[in-house]
Amino acid sequence: MSAQDRHESPDSAPPRPVGGVSRRRFLGGAGTATAATAGGFVLGAGGVLAATATTASGEDTSPAALLTRGEAANDLLSYPYYGEHQGGIATPPQNHLVFTSFDVRATSAVELQLVLAKWSAAMAEMTAGRPVGKVEPTREHGIPVDTGEVFDTGPQGLTLTLGFGPSLFDGRFGLEKFKPLNFDDLPAMAGESLNPAYTGGDLCIQACANDPQVAYHAVRNLARMARTQVSTKWTVLGFGRASAGPAQKTPRNLLGFKDGTRNVSTPDDFAQHVWTGKEAGQPWMEGGTYLVARKIHMLIETWDEDTIGDQQSIFGRTKQEGAPLSGKLEHDVPNFHATEGNDPLIPADAHMSLVAHENNGGTKVLRRSYNFTDGLDSVGRLDAGLMFLCFQKDPEQFVKLQRKLGLSDRLNEYIRHVGSAVFAVPAGLPEAGNYYGKEFFR
Amino acid sequence: MSAQDRHESPDSAPPRPVGGVSRRRFLGGAGTATAATAGGFVLGAGGVLAATATTASGEDTSPAALLTRGEAANDLLSYPYYGEHQGGIATPPQNHLVFTSFDVRATSAVELQLVLAKWSAAMAEMTAGRPVGKVEPTREHGIPVDTGEVFDTGPQGLTLTLGFGPSLFDGRFGLEKFKPLNFDDLPAMAGESLNPAYTGGDLCIQACANDPQVAYHAVRNLARMARTQVSTKWTVLGFGRASAGPAQKTPRNLLGFKDGTRNVSTPDDFAQHVWTGKEAGQPWMEGGTYLVARKIHMLIETWDEDTIGDQQSIFGRTKQEGAPLSGKLEHDVPNFHATEGNDPLIPADAHMSLVAHENNGGTKVLRRSYNFTDGLDSVGRLDAGLMFLCFQKDPEQFVKLQRKLGLSDRLNEYIRHVGSAVFAVPAGLPEAGNYYGKEFFR
């Protein structure tokens, strides 16, 4: 798969994964004793891949063999970089996230232009599983261009999504006239305890991949190649996706509940709720979207002391199955009018009730969140939560829902919004030779 | 696979993965349009699994299909909990780590005994992919026993490895006579900048799994069930394994070099270098081992400015292939006597030269390290490095190698040892009904 290949899928449809990168992961001979060269590994009689199971066709279907093949598939999985929309939005959420917000330290438009051009080209290379620069081991006195830690992992489904913060259009670079309509920092809302260390940014990169090292490598190398023009402002590593995409099993957040059951998924939904059109007043945003990032700290120990019944009424769903309290199965359509006696089965102030499109004039956002943990806090409690990421055609969609949640959500007793940012995510690049923001510098 | 099944592999052989957990991951019908119930996901014509490739036998071998099957295999992969040795030592390194050190706050031996008994039973459940307590949704007023975030992930190859720090035997619990011979905090060594916040601990849990949420869940639930007796002291999340096990491709550390090429792998090596025998003077350590944990911060930006030639001479290996500088291929046996002119091809002070068993009277340790990142440091640099974990039959093996490295390793310019601990890892439990430390409380 060449980085020049166009993304040819129909408008607004989720992107197709493609295979074909030539470097194949070394497969350890599943089910077979393998003797490596001297100094290498020897798989003994009680070796790790001994648990074999073969089908009538002779295919090895043991968990170990399937796992090995699954890992090899991960190596090969790549998403197209060029296309109508950027990757990492309609892409089914990969398993890992590195989200990083940057401040631009450069003082001239031409320096910013150079960063965006370099980044756009490097993003194409890394998305295809290639290093950001040639490896020339004979050039012993050269500084390595690529940092090397993913030389042999393959693309791992990497997507890189670039966003511009409102502050980028503040006049430092003469970009005022390119600012989308109604694009500003999010308004202050109830229930926030924002930490300036996790707030805002001129640029952001959302790196998602099925190997966390691949996502980390991408951000590290982008930061490195722009180190005199751009500084990292805040970063969050997501260690488990917490929003389902099309055809994915619904994952769970760290409160133990399924998250993303009713997520935006159809092309119609994407067209109606996610992809920005002419309303931004900027051609570069047609086919783009807005990313809202909220770092949400969870008071895990407190939550863990709550009863199962209370937890369920806070979410409006059962914990084990994830069914709405008005139904039996996860994907049962919630009935907000169903009652038992005088009480609604789904409380009106349940999290699900407050955000349901039925109760918000049809408003939806595409959630693409990840769980995170920063280890322990200063008093030894688990420092963890949800890196809430959502995409919408207008930031007002998020603001409308969050205003309601901030005022009424019973979940607020257990969560704190500690970080926040909004970014305008430009449309995809049509083909090689283009770069994000090119329109700004004519 | 029941948790009661014994680990029947030959002495010291790596454990076999086993399948058979009944909950199967929902598979999204790879290559097939799937319509979920209303409110669920609909996979449209341009759906994510459209890139199909079928073999003559009709098997779908597209990357997406293999990936789905690989993920399903991961769900099923489990390692036996009961056996001669604890899991997570000879087990081929899983992709993710949560390492946590604990202080015991309890003041009586019986409280400690209760923690160890509860933990041992819960570790068996979680290793088999089961929650730590029954889910009884009808008991609405009960506090959930399991926190729930991995209700449907399967075991994901989870292993949990328990260790006792030297401080556990200091007399608070009357355990002085159970202290292994020569088991004390590691001596101060050259090149350390230890932070007390990442040092020591009475107990440790090394949780490793192919899904980070599964490893996190395990530590969270162990901490939770002992919250009045035990407090978390420090924790490190490893986001990419950085040491190879048998039949695994060699991974890379964040300096971009392959790590673990010459790792301990054969049963003979395990018997000779890893499993403790009678020398500890404690029956409970026969079949156990010692875990040394070192949190190593890497000065990544500084390293990234070094030339490829210098980087290679520091490690003693080529960066791309990972071959010793005396050879061509990764698994070529290094020749420390080979010269070019008067200079050895592998410098005598290269990292590999200093730690090679050929140059240390045959001393080897089993490395089982993970890369980590804590995001950004206070001045915006990447805060990342290596959570170095190694196992050996006597802590002196590590001390011997590290003394040399601390004095001479040219890598010291780019790394800082900031955390350190040593733990006695008891032998495995033979069967259900036993618990770690049972011998202490007779």
Side-chain angles (χ1 to χ4, degrees), chain A residues 10 13-19 25-26 28 37-43 46-51 59 61 63-64 66-67 69-71 73-77 92 95-96 135-137 139-144 146-153 210-213 216 220 224 227 232-235 237 239-241 244-250 252-256 258 260-266 300 303-312 319-320 331-333 371 373 375-376 380 382-384, chain B residues 10 13-19 25-26 28 37-43 46-51 59 61 63-64 66-67 69-71 73-77 92 95-96 135-137 139-144 146-153 210-213 216 220 224 227 232-235 237 239-241 244-250 252-256 258 260-266 300 303-312 319-320 331-333 371 373 375-376 380-384:
Chain A
R16 309 165 191 219
V18 290
R25 192 181 187 107
F26 168 77
T37 55
F41 301 113
V42 177
L43 184 58
V48 299
L49 298 169
E59 182 200 0
T61 58
L66 288 175
L67 188 60
R69 294 167 66 192
E71 288 189 355
N74 238 329
D75 291 1
L76 298 174
L77 183 71
N95 292 333
H96 299 278
V135 181
E136 298 174 82
R139 294 193 50 233
E140 287 226 334
H141 302 293
I143 308 286
D146 189 282
T147 57
E149 70 270 31
V150 298
F151 273 155
D152 18 41
T153 60
N210 288 324
D211 180 334
Q213 190 143 323
Y216 186 74
R220 173 183 176 186
R224 181 174 180 241
R227 64 190 172 285
T232 47
K233 184 171 166 69
W234 56 294
T235 191
L237 280 86
F239 71 90
R241 66 183 165 81
Q248 291 186 327
K249 184 177 68 167
T250 312
R252 291 180 187 266
N253 58 36
L254 292 181
L255 301 181
K258 291 184 182 175
T261 300
R262 306 185 83 205
N263 210 354
V264 162
S265 63
T266 65
I300 284 184
W303 176 258
D304 281 350
E305 294 309 304
D306 196 17
T307 65
I308 181 89
D310 200 54
Q311 289 185 352
Q312 293 187 151
K319 193 165 189 176
Q320 179 85 38
H331 292 287
D332 286 350
V333 177
N371 299 323
T373 174
L376 305 174
L382 296 168
D383 188 357
Chain B
R16 309 167 191 217
V18 292
R25 193 181 187 107
F26 168 76
T37 55
F41 300 113
V42 176
L43 183 58
V48 298
L49 298 171
E59 182 200 0
T61 58
L66 287 177
L67 189 60
R69 294 166 67 192
E71 288 189 355
N74 239 329
D75 291 2
L76 299 172
L77 183 72
N95 293 333
H96 299 279
V135 181
E136 299 176 83
R139 294 194 51 232
E140 286 224 336
H141 302 293
I143 310 286
D146 189 283
T147 57
E149 71 268 32
V150 298
F151 273 156
D152 18 42
T153 60
N210 288 323
D211 180 333
Q213 191 143 322
Y216 186 74
R220 172 183 176 187
R224 180 173 180 241
R227 64 189 171 287
T232 47
K233 184 171 166 67
W234 56 293
T235 192
L237 281 84
F239 70 89
R241 68 182 163 82
Q248 291 186 326
K249 184 177 70 168
T250 312
R252 290 179 187 268
N253 59 36
L254 293 180
L255 302 181
K258 292 184 182 174
T261 301
R262 306 186 83 204
N263 211 354
V264 162
S265 64
T266 66
I300 284 183
W303 175 259
D304 282 350
E305 295 308 306
D306 194 18
T307 64
I308 182 88
D310 200 54
Q311 289 185 352
Q312 294 188 153
K319 191 163 191 177
Q320 178 86 37
H331 291 288
D332 286 351
V333 177
N371 299 323
T373 174
L376 306 175
R381 288 175 308 210
L382 298 168
D383 188 355

Side-chain angles (χ1 to χ4, degrees), chain A residues 187-198:
Chain A
M189 288 180 277
E192 292 178 329
S193 314
L194 299 185
N195 180 338
Y198 308 128

Side-chain angles (χ1 to χ4, degrees), chain B residues 109-336:
Chain B
V110 71
E111 284 177 282
L112 174 63
Q113 180 182 18
L114 196 65
V115 168
L116 294 173
K118 283 204 292 190
W119 277 14
S120 299
M123 288 160 74
E125 294 302 305
M126 294 191 288
T127 301
R130 292 189 289 262
V132 293
K134 275 197 178 143
V135 181
E136 299 176 83
T138 52
R139 294 194 51 232
E140 286 224 336
H141 302 293
I143 310 286
V145 179
D146 189 283
T147 57
E149 71 268 32
V150 298
F151 273 156
D152 18 42
T153 60
Q156 298 281 340
L158 176 69
T159 56
L160 295 164
T161 315
L162 173 76
F164 299 136
S167 53
L168 193 73
F169 303 92
D170 64 5
R172 282 173 292 164
F173 310 105
L175 303 184
E176 299 94 320
K177 67 179 175 189
F178 294 103
K179 186 173 177 175
L181 295 171
N182 305 317
F183 178 48
D184 285 296
D185 287 335
L186 296 175
M189 287 180 277
E192 292 178 331
S193 315
L194 299 185
N195 182 338
Y198 308 129
T199 300
D202 294 328
L203 300 171
C204 80
I205 294 286
Q206 174 198 269
C208 298
N210 288 323
D211 180 333
Q213 191 143 322
V214 170
Y216 186 74
H217 167 269
V219 171
R220 172 183 176 187
N221 280 270
L222 294 176
R224 180 173 180 241
M225 70 181 62
R227 64 189 171 287
T228 57
Q229 296 86 29
V230 156
S231 62
T232 47
K233 184 171 166 67
W234 56 293
T235 192
V236 176
L237 281 84
F239 70 89
R241 68 182 163 82
S243 296
Q248 291 186 326
K249 184 177 70 168
T250 312
R252 290 179 187 268
N253 59 36
L254 293 180
L255 302 181
F257 277 77
K258 292 184 182 174
D259 201 326
T261 301
R262 306 186 83 204
N263 211 354
V264 162
S265 64
T266 66
D268 278 356
D269 265 354
F270 273 90
Q272 193 178 339
H273 303 287
V274 179
W275 304 126
T276 304
K278 297 193 182 302
E279 62 268 44
Q282 294 291 347
W284 63 269
M285 276 297 285
E286 291 177 26
T289 182
Y290 293 90
L291 167 60
V292 169
R294 304 283 283 191
K295 187 175 186 186
I296 302 175
H297 181 234
M298 291 173 168
L299 307 178
I300 284 183
E301 285 85 351
T302 311
W303 175 259
D304 282 350
E305 295 308 306
D306 194 18
T307 64
I308 182 88
D310 200 54
Q311 289 185 352
Q312 294 188 153
S313 74
I314 286 172
F315 271 101
R317 290 186 177 275
T318 62
K319 191 163 191 177
Q320 178 86 37
E321 167 63 24
L325 295 180
S326 60
K328 285 214 159 54
L329 298 174
E330 181 191 348
H331 291 288
D332 286 351
V333 177
N335 180 349
F336 297 104

Side-chain angles (χ1 to χ4, degrees), chain A residues 175-375:
Chain A
L175 302 184
E176 299 94 318
K177 68 180 175 189
F178 293 103
K179 186 173 180 175
L181 295 172
N182 306 316
F183 178 49
D184 285 297
D185 287 334
L186 296 175
M189 288 180 277
E192 292 178 329
S193 314
L194 299 185
N195 180 338
Y198 308 128
T199 301
D202 293 328
L203 301 171
C204 79
I205 294 286
Q206 174 199 269
C208 298
N210 288 324
D211 180 334
Q213 190 143 323
V214 170
Y216 186 74
H217 167 268
V219 171
R220 173 183 176 186
N221 279 271
L222 294 174
R224 181 174 180 241
M225 71 180 62
R227 64 190 172 285
T228 58
Q229 296 88 29
V230 156
S231 62
T232 47
K233 184 171 166 69
W234 56 294
T235 191
V236 176
L237 280 86
F239 71 90
R241 66 183 165 81
S243 297
Q248 291 186 327
K249 184 177 68 167
T250 312
R252 291 180 187 266
N253 58 36
L254 292 181
L255 301 181
F257 276 77
K258 291 184 182 175
D259 201 326
T261 300
R262 306 185 83 205
N263 210 354
V264 162
S265 63
T266 65
D268 278 357
D269 264 355
F270 273 90
Q272 194 178 338
H273 302 288
V274 180
W275 304 128
T276 304
K278 297 194 183 302
E279 61 270 43
Q282 294 291 347
W284 62 270
M285 275 298 285
E286 292 177 26
T289 183
Y290 293 90
L291 167 60
V292 169
R294 304 283 282 191
K295 187 176 185 184
I296 302 176
H297 181 235
M298 291 173 167
L299 306 178
I300 284 184
E301 284 86 351
T302 311
W303 176 258
D304 281 350
E305 294 309 304
D306 196 17
T307 65
I308 181 89
D310 200 54
Q311 289 185 352
Q312 293 187 151
S313 75
I314 286 171
F315 271 102
R317 291 187 178 275
T318 63
K319 193 165 189 176
Q320 179 85 38
E321 166 64 23
L325 294 179
S326 61
K328 284 212 159 54
L329 298 175
E330 181 191 348
H331 292 287
D332 286 350
V333 177
N335 180 348
F336 297 103
H337 307 293
T339 55
E340 186 173 31
N342 288 325
D343 297 325
L345 285 170
I346 306 175
D349 58 356
H351 186 75
M352 180 171 64
S353 303
L354 294 171
V355 297
H357 60 90
E358 293 92 333
N359 304 330
N360 288 285
T363 298
K364 294 183 184 181
V365 298
L366 170 69
R367 285 165 291 157
R368 212 169 180 290
S369 304
Y370 286 81
N371 299 323
F372 76 87
T373 174
D374 292 337

